[in-house]
Amino acid sequence: ATTSPFQVQPTVEGQPYRSFPYFNVDRDGKRFAESGQKQLQDWLSNVDWESRPQNAVVKLILMTMDEWPLLKSWVMYHGELLGYQNLYIIDSSTDTRCTSFLRYARDILG
């Protein structure tokens, strides 16, 4: 049996994390890139854009502990994407790299 790309657990320096794009999967379990742009356009055409708010604020919460290489890349990526002021991180790290970086992110980046 072949392994589905949705069953492969990605890692960064041996630390597993979930990155499965469930929002990018059609009803048959195929990624829109695999099933074709037509199905993506069909899916988007069913959205009631008029009833959706014009502006939305997204807040993102992360719980972490001693995940240094992943923590830094996660904060930088999502901070640039959503704004650092919209990230909330609950951290139980004992690694000084993690705590120092989080202080820097809070005080300097936002």
Side-chain angles (χ1 to χ4, degrees), residues 4-110:
S4 165
F6 301 106
Q7 295 172 338
V8 176
Q9 185 73 354
T11 61
V12 171
E13 295 186 11
Q15 300 259 354
Y17 66 95
R18 292 184 63 88
S19 67
F20 304 139
Y22 291 112
F23 60 87
N24 195 25
V25 177
D26 68 11
R27 291 183 182 99
D28 299 324
K30 293 181 180 176
R31 293 182 189 191
F32 285 116
E34 296 168 352
S35 60
Q37 284 292 338
K38 183 183 179 323
Q39 287 186 350
L40 175 60
Q41 294 304 319
D42 290 346
W43 180 74
L44 289 173
S45 68
N46 290 324
V47 175
D48 181 11
W49 297 106
E50 296 299 319
S51 66
R52 297 181 65 85
Q54 294 297 314
N55 296 316
V57 176
V58 176
K59 304 285 184 176
L60 203 54
I61 301 171
L62 171 70
M63 289 180 69
T64 181
M65 182 176 169
D66 294 329
E67 296 187 25
W68 166 242
L70 182 58
L71 175 66
K72 183 178 179 184
S73 60
W74 188 93
V75 168
M76 298 306 289
Y77 175 80
H78 291 95
E80 288 295 320
L81 186 67
L82 301 173
Y84 293 97
Q85 70 279 9
N86 295 316
L87 302 181
Y88 293 87
I89 300 170
I90 302 166
D91 181 57
S92 299
S93 295
T94 57
D95 186 338
T96 57
R97 295 175 297 179
C98 293
T99 55
S100 296
F101 174 74
L102 288 173
R103 280 190 198 102
Y104 167 77
R106 179 193 65 203
D107 297 341
I108 306 299
L109 299 176

